[in-house]
């Protein structure tokens, strides 16, 4: 559908506009109709209408936000460009699961297996040689992984379950 919008509207107000069905669409109703829309630019629309590309080059440990390209859902009537860039939360995931890391920490933490799994090989060797600091580091790591403080060494987030 193609709608007539005007940028002279007051932002945040509901405006009636005349819309026309595209030529390649078959309609049972009239091809021209009136529809209400919220006067706003496409980038101001609710997040549920944004479809953004994932930035796989970002690392959660390096920067919290990254620049992504977004498009607005075609069903939304809005002003301006439908494609735009915005800063979004970096969501880099390397494939490590929180539940696996916690299970390894509880069951095999004394041998440093949890640290090896998270990519912290030096700490893994240290824990293995000291038998988890006689159990102290095993308990500490289980708590740190349990609360989400200890994450993979590459700065990524845990993979969604």
């Amino acid at each position: 559908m193609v709608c007539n919008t005007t940028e002279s509207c007051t932002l945040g107000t509901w405006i009636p506009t005349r819309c026309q069905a595209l030529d390649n669409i078959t309609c049972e109703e009239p091809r021209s109709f009136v529809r209400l829309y919220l006067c706003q630019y496409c980038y101001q629309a609710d997040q549920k209408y944004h479809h953004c590309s994932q930035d796989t080059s970002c690392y959660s440990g390096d920067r919290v936000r990254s620049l992504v390209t977004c498009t607005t859902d075609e069903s939304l009537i809005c002003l301006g460009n439908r494609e735009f860039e915005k800063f979004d939360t970096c969501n880099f995931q390397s494939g490590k699961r929180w539940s696996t890391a916690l299970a390894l920490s509880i069951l095999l933490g004394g041998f440093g297996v949890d640290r090896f799994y998270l990519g912290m090989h030096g700490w893994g060797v240290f824990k293995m040689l000291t038998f988890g600091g006689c159990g102290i580091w095993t308990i500490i790591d289980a708590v740190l992984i349990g609360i989400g403080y200890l994450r993979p060494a590459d700065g990524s987030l845990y993979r969604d379950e």
Side-chain angles (χ1 to χ4, degrees):
M1 92 181 138
V2 178
C3 298
N4 300 327
T5 59
T6 176
E7 291 193 13
S8 64
C9 61
T10 305
L11 292 176
T13 59
W14 288 93
I15 306 292
T17 187
R18 178 144 309 273
C19 297
Q20 180 77 27
L22 296 174
D23 292 335
N24 59 347
I25 305 287
T26 328
C27 298
E28 294 178 9
E29 299 294 321
R31 298 190 62 78
S32 180
F33 53 92
V34 175
R35 185 168 166 196
L36 283 177
Y37 77 99
L38 182 63
C39 180
Q40 63 183 352
Y41 287 94
C42 293
Y43 71 89
Q44 296 173 317
D46 193 310
Q47 298 292 325
K48 66 183 177 185
Y49 296 110
H50 294 178
H51 305 287
C52 301
S53 63
Q54 293 295 322
D55 184 4
T56 56
S57 66
C58 72
Y59 293 93
S60 297
D62 294 341
R63 50 190 170 156
V64 177
R65 302 180 68 71
S66 64
L67 192 63
V68 294
T69 302
C70 301
T71 56
T72 308
D73 194 298
E74 290 295 325
S75 66
L76 181 72
I77 302 173
C78 56
L79 307 174
N81 294 329
R82 289 198 169 277
E83 186 173 312
F84 54 92
E85 291 183 332
K86 72 174 186 175
F87 283 99
D88 203 4
T89 303
C90 181
N91 194 18
F92 171 65
Q93 298 178 353
S94 64
K96 307 285 191 231
R97 290 180 179 259
W98 173 82
S99 57
T100 303
L102 184 61
L104 288 173
S105 184
I106 292 169
L107 299 173
L108 299 170
F111 302 107
V113 176
D114 54 343
R115 291 287 185 147
F116 282 112
Y117 175 73
L118 294 175
M120 301 171 193
H121 303 116
W123 281 105
V125 170
F126 172 76
K127 279 181 71 176
M128 184 173 51
L129 293 176
T130 62
F131 295 107
C134 295
I136 302 294
W137 281 112
T138 303
I139 295 168
I140 291 172
D141 279 355
V143 169
L144 292 177
I145 291 172
I147 64 173
Y149 184 78
L150 190 58
R151 295 188 310 187
D154 61 3
S156 65
L157 302 172
Y158 287 112
R159 190 174 88 195
D160 296 333
E161 296 294 328

